[in-house]
Amino acid sequence: DAGVTQSPTHLIKTRGQHVTLRCSPISGHKSVSWYQQVLGQGPQFIFQYYEKEERGRGNFPDRFSARQFPNYSSELNVNALLLGDSALYLCASSSSLGHREAFFGQGTRLTVV
Amino acid sequence: AQTVTQSQPEMSVQEAETVTLSCTYDTSESDYYLFWYKQPPSRQMILVIRQEAYKQQNATENRFSVNFQKAAKSFSLKISDSQLGDAAMYFCAYRSSQGGSEKLVFGKGTKLTVNP
């Protein structure tokens, strides 16, 4: 079975631009969460979506938004990019059953110049 | 708000030896999950072990085991018979059991080096 897949793997953007990151969860997983991992730090929670509805939001500005589609894939959008948005963006999916463990993708490395 | 603290930025161990990584956390909840994740240079976060707070028995997964001290809010990871492939960043993480939340709160991580 395919794991969590994210695209693209690497991305370079200019300050002020907009970026869209994509995530496909493990088949059968209805929950998708997004995390930002700045170099040398642990991941920080950005959003959780379940059944297309936002279930949680971390302490991030309104420039960050996300959505989940009927097939449970998800997009993370960031507007008006700042240098400080440079980070590894991780997507995780989890089942609504059992221990609801999070399975992570390999992330998208975003560099803002 | 929940917080997770990993006080060891870096640790090293000789191959085949045992190493313990420390983690403390703060929460007012009584029911929650604790996890250890491994992040190798490939960047993908890999679940190593899970502990449910209501279980007193410490979790074990092959060479990996935890020492869960709920009253002390401590959750350390012991790696036995260390292998070169264990070298990675290790993150301790907390997750509430309330309200269907999937939010993980991570520590800053411990970089583990395994010396041959």
Side-chain angles (χ1 to χ4, degrees), chain A residues 33-36 43-49 54-66 76, chain B residues 101-105:
Chain A
S33 298
W34 288 94
Y35 293 82
Q36 181 195 65
Q44 296 288 317
F45 173 77
I46 310 175
F47 284 110
Q48 182 206 345
Y49 275 78
E54 183 182 303
R55 278 284 186 90
R57 183 184 182 116
N59 188 24
F60 281 82
D62 291 343
R63 299 184 297 106
F64 288 76
S65 64
L76 175 69
Chain B
S101 171
E102 307 296 342
K103 174 184 175 181
L104 288 164
V105 178

PDB file of all heavy atoms in Angstrom, chain A residues 33-36 43-49 54-66 76, chain B residues 101-105:
ATOM      1  N   SER A  33      -3.332  16.105   8.597  1.00  0.00           N
ATOM      2  CA  SER A  33      -2.783  17.217   9.374  1.00  0.00           C
ATOM      3  C   SER A  33      -1.547  17.756   8.689  1.00  0.00           C
ATOM      4  O   SER A  33      -0.823  17.003   8.017  1.00  0.00           O
ATOM      5  CB  SER A  33      -2.431  16.758  10.796  1.00  0.00           C
ATOM      6  OG  SER A  33      -3.572  16.312  11.493  1.00  0.00           O
ATOM      7  N   TRP A  34      -1.294  19.039   8.883  1.00  0.00           N
ATOM      8  CA  TRP A  34      -0.119  19.707   8.323  1.00  0.00           C
ATOM      9  C   TRP A  34       0.759  20.243   9.447  1.00  0.00           C
ATOM     10  O   TRP A  34       0.244  20.766  10.444  1.00  0.00           O
ATOM     11  CB  TRP A  34      -0.541  20.866   7.420  1.00  0.00           C
ATOM     12  CG  TRP A  34      -1.144  20.456   6.113  1.00  0.00           C
ATOM     13  CD1 TRP A  34      -2.469  20.297   5.835  1.00  0.00           C
ATOM     14  CD2 TRP A  34      -0.448  20.151   4.904  1.00  0.00           C
ATOM     15  NE1 TRP A  34      -2.641  19.915   4.527  1.00  0.00           N
ATOM     16  CE2 TRP A  34      -1.411  19.820   3.928  1.00  0.00           C
ATOM     17  CE3 TRP A  34       0.911  20.130   4.535  1.00  0.00           C
ATOM     18  CZ2 TRP A  34      -1.067  19.477   2.619  1.00  0.00           C
ATOM     19  CZ3 TRP A  34       1.247  19.789   3.241  1.00  0.00           C
ATOM     20  CH2 TRP A  34       0.252  19.469   2.288  1.00  0.00           C
ATOM     21  N   TYR A  35       2.067  20.124   9.249  1.00  0.00           N
ATOM     22  CA  TYR A  35       3.040  20.610  10.215  1.00  0.00           C
ATOM     23  C   TYR A  35       4.136  21.391   9.488  1.00  0.00           C
ATOM     24  O   TYR A  35       4.505  21.058   8.360  1.00  0.00           O
ATOM     25  CB  TYR A  35       3.696  19.455  10.974  1.00  0.00           C
ATOM     26  CG  TYR A  35       2.751  18.709  11.888  1.00  0.00           C
ATOM     27  CD1 TYR A  35       1.893  17.723  11.393  1.00  0.00           C
ATOM     28  CD2 TYR A  35       2.696  18.993  13.245  1.00  0.00           C
ATOM     29  CE1 TYR A  35       1.007  17.059  12.226  1.00  0.00           C
ATOM     30  CE2 TYR A  35       1.828  18.326  14.089  1.00  0.00           C
ATOM     31  CZ  TYR A  35       0.984  17.365  13.566  1.00  0.00           C
ATOM     32  OH  TYR A  35       0.119  16.706  14.402  1.00  0.00           O
ATOM     33  N   GLN A  36       4.668  22.395  10.187  1.00  0.00           N
ATOM     34  CA  GLN A  36       5.822  23.133   9.693  1.00  0.00           C
ATOM     35  C   GLN A  36       7.018  22.792  10.566  1.00  0.00           C
ATOM     36  O   GLN A  36       6.938  22.881  11.790  1.00  0.00           O
ATOM     37  CB  GLN A  36       5.563  24.649   9.765  1.00  0.00           C
ATOM     38  CG  GLN A  36       6.730  25.483   9.243  1.00  0.00           C
ATOM     39  CD  GLN A  36       6.618  26.949   9.657  1.00  0.00           C
ATOM     40  OE1 GLN A  36       6.683  27.282  10.837  1.00  0.00           O
ATOM     41  NE2 GLN A  36       6.450  27.831   8.676  1.00  0.00           N
ATOM     42  N   PRO A  43       8.488  19.623  14.629  1.00  0.00           N
ATOM     43  CA  PRO A  43       7.353  20.094  13.822  1.00  0.00           C
ATOM     44  C   PRO A  43       6.336  20.861  14.664  1.00  0.00           C
ATOM     45  O   PRO A  43       6.102  20.529  15.826  1.00  0.00           O
ATOM     46  CB  PRO A  43       6.741  18.792  13.293  1.00  0.00           C
ATOM     47  CG  PRO A  43       7.849  17.786  13.359  1.00  0.00           C
ATOM     48  CD  PRO A  43       8.644  18.172  14.564  1.00  0.00           C
ATOM     49  N   GLN A  44       5.747  21.888  14.028  1.00  0.00           N
ATOM     50  CA  GLN A  44       4.701  22.691  14.652  1.00  0.00           C
ATOM     51  C   GLN A  44       3.392  22.463  13.905  1.00  0.00           C
ATOM     52  O   GLN A  44       3.351  22.559  12.675  1.00  0.00           O
ATOM     53  CB  GLN A  44       5.069  24.171  14.606  1.00  0.00           C
ATOM     54  CG  GLN A  44       6.318  24.530  15.409  1.00  0.00           C
ATOM     55  CD  GLN A  44       6.070  24.473  16.900  1.00  0.00           C
ATOM     56  OE1 GLN A  44       5.048  24.939  17.392  1.00  0.00           O
ATOM     57  NE2 GLN A  44       7.007  23.891  17.623  1.00  0.00           N
ATOM     58  N   PHE A  45       2.324  22.212  14.649  1.00  0.00           N
ATOM     59  CA  PHE A  45       1.011  21.917  14.077  1.00  0.00           C
ATOM     60  C   PHE A  45       0.435  23.152  13.389  1.00  0.00           C
ATOM     61  O   PHE A  45       0.407  24.239  13.973  1.00  0.00           O
ATOM     62  CB  PHE A  45       0.078  21.447  15.200  1.00  0.00           C
ATOM     63  CG  PHE A  45      -1.356  21.260  14.803  1.00  0.00           C
ATOM     64  CD1 PHE A  45      -1.740  20.138  14.078  1.00  0.00           C
ATOM     65  CD2 PHE A  45      -2.312  22.184  15.154  1.00  0.00           C
ATOM     66  CE1 PHE A  45      -3.068  19.949  13.726  1.00  0.00           C
ATOM     67  CE2 PHE A  45      -3.640  22.011  14.813  1.00  0.00           C
ATOM     68  CZ  PHE A  45      -4.024  20.892  14.096  1.00  0.00           C
ATOM     69  N   ILE A  46      -0.049  22.963  12.141  1.00  0.00           N
ATOM     70  CA  ILE A  46      -0.674  24.059  11.413  1.00  0.00           C
ATOM     71  C   ILE A  46      -2.191  23.853  11.323  1.00  0.00           C
ATOM     72  O   ILE A  46      -2.971  24.719  11.711  1.00  0.00           O
ATOM     73  CB  ILE A  46      -0.105  24.201   9.978  1.00  0.00           C
ATOM     74  CG1 ILE A  46       1.428  24.229   9.975  1.00  0.00           C
ATOM     75  CG2 ILE A  46      -0.650  25.482   9.339  1.00  0.00           C
ATOM     76  CD1 ILE A  46       2.018  24.255   8.564  1.00  0.00           C
ATOM     77  N   PHE A  47      -2.591  22.714  10.766  1.00  0.00           N
ATOM     78  CA  PHE A  47      -4.010  22.426  10.551  1.00  0.00           C
ATOM     79  C   PHE A  47      -4.277  20.927  10.695  1.00  0.00           C
ATOM     80  O   PHE A  47      -3.402  20.102  10.464  1.00  0.00           O
ATOM     81  CB  PHE A  47      -4.441  22.768   9.108  1.00  0.00           C
ATOM     82  CG  PHE A  47      -4.615  24.206   8.793  1.00  0.00           C
ATOM     83  CD1 PHE A  47      -3.721  24.841   7.953  1.00  0.00           C
ATOM     84  CD2 PHE A  47      -5.679  24.933   9.306  1.00  0.00           C
ATOM     85  CE1 PHE A  47      -3.871  26.180   7.637  1.00  0.00           C
ATOM     86  CE2 PHE A  47      -5.835  26.266   8.999  1.00  0.00           C
ATOM     87  CZ  PHE A  47      -4.927  26.891   8.149  1.00  0.00           C
ATOM     88  N   GLN A  48      -5.552  20.626  11.039  1.00  0.00           N
ATOM     89  CA  GLN A  48      -6.063  19.282  10.868  1.00  0.00           C
ATOM     90  C   GLN A  48      -7.398  19.362  10.144  1.00  0.00           C
ATOM     91  O   GLN A  48      -8.248  20.200  10.480  1.00  0.00           O
ATOM     92  CB  GLN A  48      -6.276  18.567  12.200  1.00  0.00           C
ATOM     93  CG  GLN A  48      -6.774  17.138  12.015  1.00  0.00           C
ATOM     94  CD  GLN A  48      -7.574  16.599  13.188  1.00  0.00           C
ATOM     95  OE1 GLN A  48      -7.558  17.154  14.278  1.00  0.00           O
ATOM     96  NE2 GLN A  48      -8.267  15.491  12.970  1.00  0.00           N
ATOM     97  N   TYR A  49      -7.587  18.471   9.179  1.00  0.00           N
ATOM     98  CA  TYR A  49      -8.858  18.351   8.478  1.00  0.00           C
ATOM     99  C   TYR A  49      -9.365  16.920   8.606  1.00  0.00           C
ATOM    100  O   TYR A  49      -8.587  15.960   8.540  1.00  0.00           O
ATOM    101  CB  TYR A  49      -8.720  18.717   7.001  1.00  0.00           C
ATOM    102  CG  TYR A  49      -8.852  20.192   6.762  1.00  0.00           C
ATOM    103  CD1 TYR A  49      -7.781  21.051   7.039  1.00  0.00           C
ATOM    104  CD2 TYR A  49     -10.034  20.747   6.305  1.00  0.00           C
ATOM    105  CE1 TYR A  49      -7.904  22.410   6.865  1.00  0.00           C
ATOM    106  CE2 TYR A  49     -10.164  22.116   6.117  1.00  0.00           C
ATOM    107  CZ  TYR A  49      -9.094  22.940   6.401  1.00  0.00           C
ATOM    108  OH  TYR A  49      -9.222  24.284   6.224  1.00  0.00           O
ATOM    109  N   GLU A  54     -12.396  21.605   8.902  1.00  0.00           N
ATOM    110  CA  GLU A  54     -11.255  21.954   9.747  1.00  0.00           C
ATOM    111  C   GLU A  54     -11.542  21.529  11.181  1.00  0.00           C
ATOM    112  O   GLU A  54     -12.533  21.951  11.785  1.00  0.00           O
ATOM    113  CB  GLU A  54     -10.982  23.458   9.665  1.00  0.00           C
ATOM    114  CG  GLU A  54      -9.757  23.896  10.461  1.00  0.00           C
ATOM    115  CD  GLU A  54      -9.536  25.399  10.401  1.00  0.00           C
ATOM    116  OE1 GLU A  54      -9.413  25.942   9.295  1.00  0.00           O
ATOM    117  OE2 GLU A  54      -9.505  26.031  11.482  1.00  0.00           O
ATOM    118  N   ARG A  55     -10.644  20.731  11.751  1.00  0.00           N
ATOM    119  CA  ARG A  55     -10.824  20.248  13.123  1.00  0.00           C
ATOM    120  C   ARG A  55      -9.891  20.953  14.113  1.00  0.00           C
ATOM    121  O   ARG A  55     -10.111  20.903  15.313  1.00  0.00           O
ATOM    122  CB  ARG A  55     -10.533  18.753  13.197  1.00  0.00           C
ATOM    123  CG  ARG A  55     -11.670  17.866  12.786  1.00  0.00           C
ATOM    124  CD  ARG A  55     -12.740  17.769  13.856  1.00  0.00           C
ATOM    125  NE  ARG A  55     -13.771  16.823  13.546  1.00  0.00           N
ATOM    126  CZ  ARG A  55     -13.721  15.549  13.900  1.00  0.00           C
ATOM    127  NH1 ARG A  55     -12.675  15.092  14.563  1.00  0.00           N
ATOM    128  NH2 ARG A  55     -14.716  14.744  13.590  1.00  0.00           N
ATOM    129  N   GLY A  56      -8.855  21.556  13.585  1.00  0.00           N
ATOM    130  CA  GLY A  56      -7.934  22.236  14.484  1.00  0.00           C
ATOM    131  C   GLY A  56      -7.016  23.154  13.695  1.00  0.00           C
ATOM    132  O   GLY A  56      -6.742  22.915  12.520  1.00  0.00           O
ATOM    133  N   ARG A  57      -6.570  24.211  14.365  1.00  0.00           N
ATOM    134  CA  ARG A  57      -5.684  25.164  13.731  1.00  0.00           C
ATOM    135  C   ARG A  57      -4.631  25.591  14.743  1.00  0.00           C
ATOM    136  O   ARG A  57      -4.961  25.900  15.890  1.00  0.00           O
ATOM    137  CB  ARG A  57      -6.462  26.383  13.246  1.00  0.00           C
ATOM    138  CG  ARG A  57      -5.599  27.389  12.510  1.00  0.00           C
ATOM    139  CD  ARG A  57      -6.369  28.637  12.130  1.00  0.00           C
ATOM    140  NE  ARG A  57      -5.489  29.538  11.370  1.00  0.00           N
ATOM    141  CZ  ARG A  57      -5.675  29.885  10.117  1.00  0.00           C
ATOM    142  NH1 ARG A  57      -6.734  29.441   9.465  1.00  0.00           N
ATOM    143  NH2 ARG A  57      -4.838  30.680   9.494  1.00  0.00           N
ATOM    144  N   GLY A  58      -3.388  25.612  14.308  1.00  0.00           N
ATOM    145  CA  GLY A  58      -2.303  26.056  15.172  1.00  0.00           C
ATOM    146  C   GLY A  58      -2.140  27.562  15.121  1.00  0.00           C
ATOM    147  O   GLY A  58      -2.910  28.274  14.476  1.00  0.00           O
ATOM    148  N   ASN A  59      -1.113  28.047  15.776  1.00  0.00           N
ATOM    149  CA  ASN A  59      -0.870  29.475  15.882  1.00  0.00           C
ATOM    150  C   ASN A  59      -0.101  29.984  14.659  1.00  0.00           C
ATOM    151  O   ASN A  59       1.090  30.306  14.745  1.00  0.00           O
ATOM    152  CB  ASN A  59      -0.095  29.761  17.168  1.00  0.00           C
ATOM    153  CG  ASN A  59       0.027  31.242  17.439  1.00  0.00           C
ATOM    154  OD1 ASN A  59      -0.784  32.027  16.970  1.00  0.00           O
ATOM    155  ND2 ASN A  59       1.048  31.618  18.188  1.00  0.00           N
ATOM    156  N   PHE A  60      -0.782  30.052  13.555  1.00  0.00           N
ATOM    157  CA  PHE A  60      -0.203  30.534  12.295  1.00  0.00           C
ATOM    158  C   PHE A  60      -1.081  31.646  11.741  1.00  0.00           C
ATOM    159  O   PHE A  60      -2.290  31.654  11.950  1.00  0.00           O
ATOM    160  CB  PHE A  60      -0.094  29.378  11.281  1.00  0.00           C
ATOM    161  CG  PHE A  60       1.083  28.478  11.537  1.00  0.00           C
ATOM    162  CD1 PHE A  60       1.017  27.469  12.482  1.00  0.00           C
ATOM    163  CD2 PHE A  60       2.267  28.660  10.835  1.00  0.00           C
ATOM    164  CE1 PHE A  60       2.113  26.656  12.739  1.00  0.00           C
ATOM    165  CE2 PHE A  60       3.362  27.845  11.074  1.00  0.00           C
ATOM    166  CZ  PHE A  60       3.276  26.853  12.032  1.00  0.00           C
ATOM    167  N   PRO A  61      -0.460  32.591  11.021  1.00  0.00           N
ATOM    168  CA  PRO A  61      -1.245  33.726  10.486  1.00  0.00           C
ATOM    169  C   PRO A  61      -2.222  33.280   9.408  1.00  0.00           C
ATOM    170  O   PRO A  61      -2.153  32.167   8.876  1.00  0.00           O
ATOM    171  CB  PRO A  61      -0.165  34.647   9.914  1.00  0.00           C
ATOM    172  CG  PRO A  61       1.010  33.764   9.653  1.00  0.00           C
ATOM    173  CD  PRO A  61       0.978  32.712  10.701  1.00  0.00           C
ATOM    174  N   ASP A  62      -3.137  34.205   9.086  1.00  0.00           N
ATOM    175  CA  ASP A  62      -4.181  33.913   8.095  1.00  0.00           C
ATOM    176  C   ASP A  62      -3.628  33.703   6.694  1.00  0.00           C
ATOM    177  O   ASP A  62      -4.371  33.281   5.798  1.00  0.00           O
ATOM    178  CB  ASP A  62      -5.202  35.052   8.077  1.00  0.00           C
ATOM    179  CG  ASP A  62      -6.014  35.099   9.350  1.00  0.00           C
ATOM    180  OD1 ASP A  62      -6.011  34.086  10.091  1.00  0.00           O
ATOM    181  OD2 ASP A  62      -6.646  36.134   9.620  1.00  0.00           O
ATOM    182  N   ARG A  63      -2.352  33.982   6.502  1.00  0.00           N
ATOM    183  CA  ARG A  63      -1.737  33.711   5.198  1.00  0.00           C
ATOM    184  C   ARG A  63      -1.718  32.205   4.905  1.00  0.00           C
ATOM    185  O   ARG A  63      -1.567  31.794   3.757  1.00  0.00           O
ATOM    186  CB  ARG A  63      -0.295  34.236   5.160  1.00  0.00           C
ATOM    187  CG  ARG A  63      -0.156  35.724   5.358  1.00  0.00           C
ATOM    188  CD  ARG A  63       1.302  36.164   5.215  1.00  0.00           C
ATOM    189  NE  ARG A  63       2.186  35.594   6.214  1.00  0.00           N
ATOM    190  CZ  ARG A  63       3.068  34.628   5.985  1.00  0.00           C
ATOM    191  NH1 ARG A  63       3.197  34.114   4.768  1.00  0.00           N
ATOM    192  NH2 ARG A  63       3.855  34.175   6.971  1.00  0.00           N
ATOM    193  N   PHE A  64      -1.838  31.422   5.954  1.00  0.00           N
ATOM    194  CA  PHE A  64      -1.869  29.969   5.812  1.00  0.00           C
ATOM    195  C   PHE A  64      -3.325  29.513   5.743  1.00  0.00           C
ATOM    196  O   PHE A  64      -4.142  29.891   6.595  1.00  0.00           O
ATOM    197  CB  PHE A  64      -1.189  29.296   7.005  1.00  0.00           C
ATOM    198  CG  PHE A  64       0.307  29.447   7.023  1.00  0.00           C
ATOM    199  CD1 PHE A  64       0.896  30.645   7.405  1.00  0.00           C
ATOM    200  CD2 PHE A  64       1.135  28.391   6.667  1.00  0.00           C
ATOM    201  CE1 PHE A  64       2.282  30.789   7.419  1.00  0.00           C
ATOM    202  CE2 PHE A  64       2.514  28.513   6.684  1.00  0.00           C
ATOM    203  CZ  PHE A  64       3.087  29.726   7.059  1.00  0.00           C
ATOM    204  N   SER A  65      -3.624  28.702   4.757  1.00  0.00           N
ATOM    205  CA  SER A  65      -4.962  28.128   4.650  1.00  0.00           C
ATOM    206  C   SER A  65      -4.833  26.728   4.077  1.00  0.00           C
ATOM    207  O   SER A  65      -3.797  26.359   3.513  1.00  0.00           O
ATOM    208  CB  SER A  65      -5.867  28.984   3.758  1.00  0.00           C
ATOM    209  OG  SER A  65      -5.368  29.012   2.430  1.00  0.00           O
ATOM    210  N   ALA A  66      -5.873  25.956   4.233  1.00  0.00           N
ATOM    211  CA  ALA A  66      -5.847  24.582   3.731  1.00  0.00           C
ATOM    212  C   ALA A  66      -7.259  24.158   3.368  1.00  0.00           C
ATOM    213  O   ALA A  66      -8.242  24.820   3.728  1.00  0.00           O
ATOM    214  CB  ALA A  66      -5.243  23.641   4.770  1.00  0.00           C
ATOM    215  N   LEU A  76      -2.246  22.666   1.160  1.00  0.00           N
ATOM    216  CA  LEU A  76      -1.873  23.743   2.067  1.00  0.00           C
ATOM    217  C   LEU A  76      -1.457  24.920   1.205  1.00  0.00           C
ATOM    218  O   LEU A  76      -0.619  24.766   0.318  1.00  0.00           O
ATOM    219  CB  LEU A  76      -0.723  23.315   2.972  1.00  0.00           C
ATOM    220  CG  LEU A  76      -0.161  24.396   3.904  1.00  0.00           C
ATOM    221  CD1 LEU A  76      -1.174  24.748   4.992  1.00  0.00           C
ATOM    222  CD2 LEU A  76       1.156  23.948   4.545  1.00  0.00           C
TER     223      LEU A  76
ATOM    224  N   SER B 101      -9.062  15.069  18.558  1.00  0.00           N
ATOM    225  CA  SER B 101      -7.930  15.875  18.100  1.00  0.00           C
ATOM    226  C   SER B 101      -6.783  14.977  17.648  1.00  0.00           C
ATOM    227  O   SER B 101      -6.460  13.984  18.294  1.00  0.00           O
ATOM    228  CB  SER B 101      -7.450  16.782  19.235  1.00  0.00           C
ATOM    229  OG  SER B 101      -6.227  17.409  18.884  1.00  0.00           O
ATOM    230  N   GLU B 102      -6.176  15.345  16.534  1.00  0.00           N
ATOM    231  CA  GLU B 102      -5.001  14.640  16.038  1.00  0.00           C
ATOM    232  C   GLU B 102      -3.728  15.466  16.235  1.00  0.00           C
ATOM    233  O   GLU B 102      -2.663  15.066  15.809  1.00  0.00           O
ATOM    234  CB  GLU B 102      -5.154  14.328  14.542  1.00  0.00           C
ATOM    235  CG  GLU B 102      -6.424  13.601  14.169  1.00  0.00           C
ATOM    236  CD  GLU B 102      -6.495  12.225  14.793  1.00  0.00           C
ATOM    237  OE1 GLU B 102      -5.449  11.707  15.218  1.00  0.00           O
ATOM    238  OE2 GLU B 102      -7.600  11.677  14.887  1.00  0.00           O
ATOM    239  N   LYS B 103      -3.858  16.606  16.896  1.00  0.00           N
ATOM    240  CA  LYS B 103      -2.723  17.509  17.027  1.00  0.00           C
ATOM    241  C   LYS B 103      -1.622  16.866  17.850  1.00  0.00           C
ATOM    242  O   LYS B 103      -1.831  16.439  18.985  1.00  0.00           O
ATOM    243  CB  LYS B 103      -3.161  18.813  17.701  1.00  0.00           C
ATOM    244  CG  LYS B 103      -2.017  19.768  18.008  1.00  0.00           C
ATOM    245  CD  LYS B 103      -2.525  20.978  18.769  1.00  0.00           C
ATOM    246  CE  LYS B 103      -1.373  21.885  19.195  1.00  0.00           C
ATOM    247  NZ  LYS B 103      -1.858  23.048  19.963  1.00  0.00           N
ATOM    248  N   LEU B 104      -0.430  16.806  17.271  1.00  0.00           N
ATOM    249  CA  LEU B 104       0.759  16.339  17.973  1.00  0.00           C
ATOM    250  C   LEU B 104       1.567  17.547  18.414  1.00  0.00           C
ATOM    251  O   LEU B 104       1.789  18.465  17.647  1.00  0.00           O
ATOM    252  CB  LEU B 104       1.608  15.464  17.065  1.00  0.00           C
ATOM    253  CG  LEU B 104       1.066  14.068  16.749  1.00  0.00           C
ATOM    254  CD1 LEU B 104       1.797  13.470  15.559  1.00  0.00           C
ATOM    255  CD2 LEU B 104       1.204  13.157  17.957  1.00  0.00           C
ATOM    256  N   VAL B 105       2.020  17.504  19.671  1.00  0.00           N
ATOM    257  CA  VAL B 105       2.928  18.527  20.191  1.00  0.00           C
ATOM    258  C   VAL B 105       4.300  17.874  20.326  1.00  0.00           C
ATOM    259  O   VAL B 105       4.450  16.894  21.058  1.00  0.00           O
ATOM    260  CB  VAL B 105       2.443  19.062  21.544  1.00  0.00           C
ATOM    261  CG1 VAL B 105       3.431  20.097  22.085  1.00  0.00           C
ATOM    262  CG2 VAL B 105       1.047  19.660  21.418  1.00  0.00           C
TER     263      VAL B 105
END
